[in-house]
Amino acid sequence: MTLGEEGPAIVLVAPQLGENIGTAARAMLNFGLTDLRLVSPRDGWPNSRSVAASAGADIVIDNVRVFETTADAVADLDYVLATTARPRDMVKLVYTPDRAAARLREAFAGGGKAGVLFGPERTGLHNDDVALADAVLTVPLNPAFSSLNLAQAVLLMSYEWHKAADRTEAETLEMREGRLATKEELLMFYAHLERELDAHGFFRTDDKRPGMVRSIRNLFGRASMTEQEVRTFRGIVASLVRTVPKGNGPEEG
């Protein structure tokens, strides 16, 4: 996601501390969200402590909109989620964060606008606020300690929103220079190593040799060696061969 791409509104209902608003704004911008709405912030708005705590998330802070009621804050939205524990006094769909993010994406894909409600730090959302939502978002936490601060909750949901459309590879190998060794280079290294192991008596019995060769190749194969690393290992083998007399190799394991 890049700045300017449409995303869900983050609605903070009666936030108490300016610092929490600022850190929530910072969490939002980490994942490209910029639509921050405040409902009756306790210390008013603007708030200098929010600016300092936002750590440069100016595009979020500068465009904050303030509303008197939660109903006003969500009036232009088509789909709203409320972050809270499971509601006891009303029938509501309850989503985990990843499913909630998928539903938000579906809402936007259909041309609508969506938002997520977060309640006051101490008390959470009032039932009247939850009643305005289409569904509830509940985070499965340690039941013995399930307390999240406001910025943590916003960060978690912002991340799930971003992840739902992110295509970053789950695993990559970063190399400053060079490239991964080709199969041909690896095979030449294996042949070099195995030839010298044969010559120095490492493989004591013919029946065990195939299994030991496979183990050695699997070991180096898991290392994802670069072409430079292959050259280095071939140099190591050549150096050892020059200094170890034949027949004095290690005993078979």
Side-chain angles (χ1 to χ4, degrees), residues 145-168:
F145 191 73
S146 58
S147 174
L148 288 177
N149 68 35
L150 184 58
Q152 286 175 321
V154 172
L155 178 72
L156 189 153
M157 195 56 230
S158 299
Y159 167 71
E160 291 291 347
W161 160 265
H162 176 79
K163 187 179 70 171
D166 184 54
R167 296 296 177 263
T168 302

Side-chain angles (χ1 to χ4, degrees), residues 71-176:
D72 292 337
V74 302
D76 66 326
L77 303 178
D78 304 292
Y79 186 77
V80 176
L81 294 176
T83 58
T84 184
R86 294 177 180 270
R88 296 179 180 179
D89 301 326
M90 62 188 80
V91 177
K92 288 282 186 183
L93 281 171
V94 179
Y95 295 135
T96 59
D98 56 341
R99 178 55 183 151
R103 286 292 292 116
L104 290 170
R105 290 280 177 185
E106 291 168 9
F108 275 96
K113 296 178 65 177
V116 185
L117 298 175
F118 296 84
E121 292 89 329
R122 291 184 180 179
T123 61
L125 290 170
H126 190 276
N127 281 352
D128 290 342
D129 296 319
V130 177
L132 296 171
D134 298 279
V136 165
L137 160 63
T138 295
V139 182
L141 299 168
N142 174 9
F145 191 73
S146 58
S147 174
L148 288 177
N149 68 35
L150 184 58
Q152 286 175 321
V154 172
L155 178 72
L156 189 153
M157 195 56 230
S158 299
Y159 167 71
E160 291 291 347
W161 160 265
H162 176 79
K163 187 179 70 171
D166 184 54
R167 296 296 177 263
T168 302
E169 292 292 335
E171 181 176 327
T172 59
L173 177 64
E174 297 291 338
M175 293 186 294
R176 289 180 297 176

Side-chain angles (χ1 to χ4, degrees), residues 50 161 227:
S50 297
W161 160 265
E227 47 90 20

Side-chain angles (χ1 to χ4, degrees), residues 12 16 68 85 127 167 171 207 214 223 238 242:
L12 308 184
Q16 297 170 321
E68 290 188 7
N127 281 352
R167 296 296 177 263
E171 181 176 327
D207 61 324
R214 285 193 294 270
R242 288 194 296 270

